[in-house]
Amino acid sequence: MLLLGIDVGTGGSRAVLIDRAGQIVTSATVEHEAFASPHPGWAEQSPDDWWRASVLAIRQVVSSNNVRPEEIAAVGLSGQMHGAVLLDENDEVLRPALIWCDQRSASQCEQLTKEIGPEQLIELTCNPALTGFTLPKLLWVRE
């Protein structure tokens, strides 16, 4: 029995196979295309590139030890925080993802804080409105 871990990070996708004892059997990392920053404070990546890199990393760990798919008992997945991947009605990606370090939604954060109030916002969400979070990104896209 093996466990497959997949992590989709900002710089690349990683795959790791772990045995029953928790020992790493093999791992692989495939870099992503650099994130686009067409304007200062903007940070976008292609979800299709995350998929490409993830598939390659998984293939590398599976093929490196001639692992049969039926040997993999479970898959764990982690990924970037606060990335906004927008899909259409056919689950197709509409635009590059606005990733965690994108800062363009500062005015939306200010507006949320003004409308809701800083204390109420923290009481409701346990956080202030920050540009890295998804709701301000969605508001920016809508505007």
Side-chain angles (χ1 to χ4, degrees):
M1 176 192 83
L2 297 170
L3 305 174
L4 172 62
I6 304 164
D7 175 57
V8 180
T10 305
S13 292
R14 288 157 288 286
V16 61
L17 282 174
I18 301 170
D19 66 18
R20 290 189 123 176
Q23 299 299 309
I24 294 174
V25 175
T26 189
S27 65
T29 299
V30 176
E31 290 186 8
H32 294 154
E33 296 172 2
F35 70 79
S37 187
H39 301 282
W42 291 27
E44 301 179 345
Q45 282 186 312
S46 167
D48 292 330
D49 189 52
W50 300 341
W51 180 259
R52 175 201 60 81
S54 297
V55 167
L56 290 174
I58 294 164
R59 285 181 179 159
Q60 285 179 26
V61 297
V62 169
S63 67
S64 68
N65 284 355
N66 295 318
V67 173
R68 295 182 323 274
E70 58 270 14
E71 292 178 88
I72 298 172
V75 177
L77 178 66
S78 66
Q80 301 177 28
M81 294 177 59
H82 311 301
V85 178
L86 306 178
L87 306 175
D88 68 12
E89 63 276 358
N90 298 313
D91 294 332
E92 297 293 328
V93 175
L94 287 170
R95 64 171 329 282
L98 304 173
I99 63 172
W100 61 273
C101 56
D102 190 283
Q103 299 294 303
R104 71 185 90 180
S105 63
S107 65
Q108 288 76 16
C109 291
E110 290 171 15
Q111 189 63 32
L112 282 168
T113 302
K114 181 180 174 184
E115 287 180 19
I116 297 170
E119 296 84 14
Q120 180 72 10
L121 187 58
I122 289 175
E123 184 178 320
L124 291 169
T125 67
C126 297
N127 287 292
L130 299 172
T131 57
F133 290 167
T134 305
L135 177 59
K137 290 178 172 79
L138 293 174
L139 294 173
W140 181 88
V141 169
R142 182 179 71 180
E143 290 176 19

